[in-house]
Amino acid sequence: MEAAEVAGTDDPEADKTVESVIQPGLTIGDRSIRPAKVVVRRYRKL
């Protein structure tokens, strides 16, 4: 996976988890040709 965007979250348990997939990855056989592009949640304490 490749983190293409970061989304904020108020939940510390959701830190560094995938919120959504922007573009799915491409695999041919056992080889990964293109990693998935995803939005990753990031917890920030205020």
Side-chain angles (χ1 to χ4, degrees):
M1 288 183 280
E2 177 181 321
E5 294 181 30
V6 176
T9 182
D10 294 334
D11 181 8
E13 295 292 319
D15 189 37
K16 299 178 185 171
T17 60
V18 175
E19 179 170 294
S20 62
V21 176
I22 297 172
Q23 180 180 25
L26 177 62
T27 304
I28 298 177
D30 292 339
R31 295 185 61 150
S32 176
I33 305 301
R34 180 185 67 214
K37 291 185 181 181
V38 299
V39 178
V40 177
R41 292 182 190 106
R42 187 73 181 171
Y43 172 71
R44 296 243 166 103
K45 186 176 180 180
L46 297 175

